[in-house]
């Protein structure tokens, strides 16, 4: 029987707790939001691994769910600015005044409430994934076709959110946030709290994902990945399982986006860029598909590498990303965790076939 | 209804096919196929490659929709309106021509997933193992002779062992009808005979339809044989009866 917290999950959670407690002591405060951002990416990677690594659903649009969660939180932060914006309009965010809106669009209603916005950060990505998955999986779209339409989904949202008429700040997105729940976003204590929340969200979602994959439902998901028709002929409605895991995964991605936005201080349509979604896949592949912990580690490694490369050799990043992708595909089919397992044991028991 | 000129009457049959046709791009893979099988019967279906044996199973199990014809379960349930999962839940289990098991799961988990139990997402999310399930898995492992491989990954089984595991997964579903497509493929002579004995022991309590090429295997089953040719029934009866017929020898046995 598979344990909820296996050895590597336990190790990871312990290391995460330790690092979260140590970070404020060893890092300057201005780096704390950066670390918090990394943890959000790690959470996003766990979300993708849940549906790709276990159910075989290779989503190339998970950046969209992340961005939608981010927009939901960003909308709340815009509303919290209130009358302190440049135009001092208590009812409308600055960009709406600038664009000549005379009233708040209906889809902005309620976002002044934090609980409502937090709920929307989960519900909107979840609902989109549910509806999208319902149609795709019921029509038995799978494999590369599914990947392509998820990529098209995020691209369509990119184009839509770029338009000023959409009412989400167009090209510039949402920014100039001041406070969350009355706490200044630039205050060290707020930054620490957001960082701590990101760590807690990562740990919580990791445990939730473990609970799913170690349940009988998780074994059905792997069964679908390994032999979909066999699963159907055993009487399982495969589409129900696929929609379920895709939706849960999208909600986790939305949560990651909602925690990301107050720490980076901006959300704009660039988050919907197809390349972002592909990068998530690289994180998971590099860390080790179907391992959850590996996905989180993969995100941390690649994102740290990206931070360093874009600072030292700004032109090199895309080549490095491409090179990494090829390296993982050819040399590390089970990712870094697979490599570690190969060194740890003479004959590893491969959990995932490429 | 016209009385069928086939094994059992519509009312008595557990599985009843009449005038079933299906073409692919103009090619008639199944062409006016009629077949009736009674509860508890063991039936062998033989026929040359491309005769439509696998397609017939696809139609019974909801994978392929026929263009025309009747497919009835227990005289009243129209199988052509159901999807694979619904047909499986009626108690119709199917073994594929190419052995198909969950390669990255253990042998034990393969059987656990197949055990008759609620199939919904919520039910499996909240599922807890029971002593009764453990006992059923242990009994099945004994029956398919994979008890020593209980914890092994299914990917590491031999071809013949995978065939048996898949039969075990069918049995775990506690089906009323088993459709078994070429079980002896890739088996040694000894394994083939053991498989025939296993299927004979299963029949009676359940209905078993076996597609097979291996004539020694079919002889060992010692049951009624249906010969399929170009998507229709060419002959039906005992193996001695059908193998004496000139048309059967022509299309199949005399190759
Ligand atoms: N999904 C399909 N699409 C196109 N042709 C098919 C399909 N399924 C079966 N056929 C064709 O139907 C014929 C019967 O195939 P099959 O039922 O597999 O025969 P058998 O199992 O008796 O060897 C073959 O010519 C095969 O190519
Ligand atoms: Mg066949």
């Amino acid at each position: 029987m598979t344990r909820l917290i296996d050895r590597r999950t336990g190790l990871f959670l312990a290391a995460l707790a330790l690092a979260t407690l140590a970070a404020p002591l060893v890092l300057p405060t201005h780096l704390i939001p950066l670390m918090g951002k990394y943890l959000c990416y790690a959470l996003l990677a766990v979300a993708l691994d849940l549906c790709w690594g276990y159910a075989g659903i290779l989503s190339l649009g998970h950046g969209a769910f992340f961005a939608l969660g981010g927009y939901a939180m960003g909308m709340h932060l815009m509303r919290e600015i209130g009358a302190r914006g440049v135009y001092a309009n208590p009812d409308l965010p600055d960009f709406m005044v600038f664009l000549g809106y005379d009233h708040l669009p209906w889809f902005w209603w309620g976002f002044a409430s934090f609980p409502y916005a937090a709920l929307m950060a989960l519900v909107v990505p979840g609902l989109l994934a549910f509806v999208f998955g319902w149609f795709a999986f019921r029509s038995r779209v799978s494999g590369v076709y599914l990947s392509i339409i998820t990529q098209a989904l995020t691209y369509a949202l990119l184009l839509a959110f770029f338009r000023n008429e959409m009412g989400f700040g167009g090209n510039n997105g949402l920014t100039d946030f001041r406070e969350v729940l009355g706490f200044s976003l630039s205050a060290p204590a707020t930054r620490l709290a957001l960082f701590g929340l990101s760590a807690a969200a990562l740990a919580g979602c990791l445990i939730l994902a473990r609970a799913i994959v170690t349940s009988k439902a998780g074994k059905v998901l792997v069964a679908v990945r390994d032999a979909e028709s066999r699963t159907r002929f055993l009487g399982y409605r495969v589409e129900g399982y696929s929609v379920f895991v895709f939706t849960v995964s999208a909600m986790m991605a939305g949560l990651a986006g909602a925690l990301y936005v107050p720490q980076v201080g901006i959300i704009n349509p660039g988050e919907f860029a197809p390349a972002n979604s592909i990068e998530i896949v690289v994180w998971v592949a590099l860390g080790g598909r179907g391992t959850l912990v590996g996905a989180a580690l993969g995100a941390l490694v690649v994102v740290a590498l990206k931070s360093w490369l874009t600072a030292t050799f700004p032109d090199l990043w895309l080549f490095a990303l491409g090179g990494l992708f090829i390296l993982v595909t050819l040399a590390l089919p089970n990712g870094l965790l697979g490599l570690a397992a190969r060194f740890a044991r003479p004959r590893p028991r491969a959990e995932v076939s490429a | 209804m016209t009385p069928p000129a086939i094994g059992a009457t519509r009312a008595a049959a557990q599985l009843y096919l009449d005038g079933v046709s299906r073409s692919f791009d103009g090619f008639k893979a199944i062409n006016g196929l009629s077949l009736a099988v009674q509860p508890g019967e063991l039936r062998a279906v033989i026929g040359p490659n491309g005769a439509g044996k696998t397609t017939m199973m696809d139609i019974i199990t909801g994978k392929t929709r026929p263009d025309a014809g009747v497919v009835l379960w227990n005289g009243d349930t129209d199988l052509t309106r159901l999807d694979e999962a619904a047909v499986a839940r009626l108690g119709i289990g199917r073994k594929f021509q190419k052995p198909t098991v969950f390669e990255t799961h253990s042998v034990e988990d393969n059987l656990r997933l197949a055990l008759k139990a609620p199939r919904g997402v919520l039910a499996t999310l909240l599922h807890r193992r029971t002593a009764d399930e453990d006992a059923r898995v242990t009994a099945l492992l004994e029956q398919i002779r994979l008890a020593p491989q209980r914890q092994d990954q299914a990917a590491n089984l031999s071809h013949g062992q995978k065939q048996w595991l898949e039969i075990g997964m069918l049995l775990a579903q506690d089906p009323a009808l088993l459709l078994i497509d070429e079980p002896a493929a890739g088996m040694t002579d000894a394994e083939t005979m053991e498989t025939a004995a296993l299927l004979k022991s299963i029949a009676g309590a359940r209905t078993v339809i076996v597609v097979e090429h291996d004539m020694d295997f079919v002889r060992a089953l010692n049951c009624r044989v249906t010969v399929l040719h170009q998507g229709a029934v060419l002959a039906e009866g005992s193996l001695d009866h059908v193998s004496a017929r000139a048309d059967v020898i022509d299309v199949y046995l005399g190759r």
Side-chain angles (χ1 to χ4, degrees):
Chain A
M1 180 131 166
T2 342
R3 292 215 318 272
L4 175 63
I5 307 294
D6 60 352
R7 205 171 122 260
R8 63 184 175 209
T9 310
L11 278 174
F12 180 85
L13 288 173
L16 178 67
L18 217 65
T20 309
L21 294 175
L25 306 175
V26 299
L27 290 177
T29 14
H30 73 270
L31 282 183
I32 293 295
L34 184 69
M35 296 301 122
K37 177 174 122 172
Y38 287 4
L39 293 180
C40 293
Y41 287 149
L43 171 52
L44 180 54
V46 169
L48 180 70
D49 194 28
L50 180 60
C51 77
W52 182 34
Y54 291 88
I57 303 166
L58 174 51
S59 165
L60 291 180
H62 254 51
F65 303 125
F66 178 82
L68 288 171
Y71 266 95
M73 188 49 62
M75 287 161 78
H76 171 70
L77 298 175
M78 288 305 272
R79 300 293 290 133
E80 212 174 323
I81 298 171
R84 289 165 296 174
V86 179
Y87 297 103
N89 186 322
D91 299 323
L92 294 180
D94 275 350
F95 79 88
M96 290 191 191
V97 181
F98 179 76
L99 290 171
Y101 282 66
D102 54 10
H103 62 274
L104 198 66
W106 63 266
F107 46 85
W108 277 75
W109 294 350
F111 276 93
S113 148
F114 178 84
Y116 176 79
L119 190 67
M120 285 301 122
L122 299 177
V123 167
V124 172
L127 198 65
L128 176 65
F130 181 85
V131 172
F132 183 89
W134 174 267
F135 286 109
F137 298 125
R138 263 174 52 103
S139 329
R140 303 206 179 170
V141 177
S142 64
V144 65
Y145 299 99
L146 187 87
S147 300
I148 290 169
I149 57 171
T150 53
Q151 178 98 121
L153 171 77
T154 194
Y155 188 61
L157 286 168
L158 170 77
L159 296 180
F161 273 74
F162 257 125
R163 294 160 48 90
N164 282 330
E165 302 82 65
M166 275 289 282
F168 295 106
N171 193 10
N172 300 317
L174 310 174
T175 187
D176 297 329
F177 312 133
R178 289 164 176 261
E179 291 171 353
V180 62
L181 292 172
F183 299 104
S184 163
L185 284 171
S186 52
T190 315
R191 294 179 157 189
L192 276 178
L194 286 167
F195 169 69
L197 276 176
S198 307
L202 173 58
C205 287
L206 189 58
I207 293 170
L208 176 66
R210 282 289 303 172
I212 292 173
V213 303
T214 54
S215 73
K216 189 175 176 186
K219 303 218 154 135
V220 176
L221 291 173
V222 172
V224 173
R225 185 193 73 194
D226 283 357
E228 181 178 327
S229 57
R230 176 74 278 162
T231 319
R232 283 187 199 280
F233 286 109
L234 284 182
Y236 291 99
R237 284 253 149 64
V238 165
E239 48 276 20
Y241 284 83
S242 302
V243 169
F244 164 73
V245 74
F246 194 57
T247 305
V248 171
S249 170
M251 290 169 81
M252 283 187 187
L255 174 63
L259 285 162
Y260 168 89
V261 165
Q263 302 190 74
V264 300
I266 182 168
I267 174 82
N268 65 30
E271 296 293 342
F272 288 105
N276 283 25
S277 292
I278 292 172
E279 207 178 311
I280 310 166
V281 173
V282 178
W283 303 340
V284 176
L286 180 84
R289 190 188 154 197
T291 61
L292 297 176
V293 168
L297 288 174
L300 297 175
V301 168
V302 179
V303 174
L305 187 72
K306 180 180 182 176
S307 289
W308 174 72
L309 264 184
T310 44
T312 21
F313 312 99
D315 301 331
L316 240 58
W317 168 240
L318 273 183
F319 293 101
L321 184 66
L324 216 52
F325 193 69
I326 294 169
L327 177 82
V328 171
T329 318
L330 295 181
L332 293 175
N334 293 321
L336 291 174
L337 275 201
L339 192 69
R342 205 183 314 168
F343 282 115
R345 277 170 290 172
R347 236 193 70 212
R349 175 177 171 274
E351 237 186 82
V352 174
S353 53
Chain B
M1 221 51 248
T2 47
I6 47 185
T9 63
R10 177 176 171 146
Q14 182 181 48
L15 180 70
Y16 178 89
L17 280 72
D18 194 25
V20 175
S21 297
R22 168 70 203 224
S23 34
F24 296 106
D25 304 319
F27 171 75
K28 287 188 172 156
I30 296 289
N31 190 8
L33 174 67
S34 299
L35 182 77
V37 181
Q38 276 169 305
E41 193 180 339
L42 173 60
R43 176 73 65 95
V45 176
I46 63 175
N49 266 324
K53 305 181 295 293
T54 299
T55 308
M56 175 188 85
M57 291 197 172
D58 287 345
I59 288 172
I60 296 168
T61 54
K63 184 174 181 226
T64 299
R65 299 260 171 267
D67 302 325
V70 181
V71 184
L72 287 182
W73 173 246
N74 287 332
D76 52 10
T77 308
D78 181 358
L79 292 181
T80 64
R81 294 171 176 277
L82 304 178
D83 67 2
E84 299 97 318
V87 172
R89 289 175 193 188
L90 284 178
I92 299 179
R94 173 174 187 186
K95 201 199 87 57
F96 296 104
Q97 187 164 346
K98 174 176 176 291
T100 311
V101 296
F102 305 126
E103 303 257 330
T104 55
H105 279 316
S106 66
V107 169
E108 172 175 355
D109 278 346
N110 269 273
L111 292 174
R112 284 187 185 280
L113 285 172
L115 281 179
K116 188 173 187 174
R119 296 302 202 214
V121 179
L122 201 61
T124 53
L125 265 178
L126 303 177
H127 170 266
R128 290 276 165 272
R129 277 165 64 166
T130 64
D132 175 51
E133 287 181 352
D134 293 346
R136 282 161 73 193
V137 168
T138 304
L140 281 164
L141 284 167
E142 294 294 335
Q143 194 179 3
I144 59 173
R145 296 174 198 188
L146 289 176
Q149 285 80 20
R150 185 173 186 135
Q151 302 297 341
D152 290 6
Q153 227 185 327
N156 298 331
L157 296 181
S158 74
H159 189 84
Q161 286 174 323
K162 283 184 190 172
Q163 301 268 36
W164 278 57
L165 175 56
E166 202 179 356
I167 294 174
M169 290 164 75
L170 255 64
L171 291 172
Q173 292 177 73
D174 191 21
L177 166 65
L178 290 85
L179 299 166
I180 308 211
D181 205 348
E182 304 206 17
M187 283 189 177
T188 63
D189 286 350
E191 284 172 333
T192 303
M193 286 307 128
E194 283 175 17
T195 306
L198 175 67
L199 295 179
K200 278 179 73 170
S201 73
I202 293 168
R206 311 171 195 280
T207 315
V208 180
I209 301 180
V210 197
V211 162
E212 190 46 70
H213 272 300
D214 186 324
M215 277 306 143
D216 292 332
F217 178 86
V218 176
R219 190 163 298 284
L221 288 180
N222 187 26
C223 65
R224 192 175 177 89
V225 174
T226 299
V227 185
L228 238 58
H229 178 54
Q230 293 180 351
V233 175
L234 180 67
E236 203 167 276
S238 72
L239 182 61
D240 289 333
H241 167 77
V242 299
S243 54
R245 281 179 50 160
D247 49 358
V248 174
I249 294 170
D250 255 10
V251 304
Y252 188 50
L253 300 168
R255 287 170 308 159

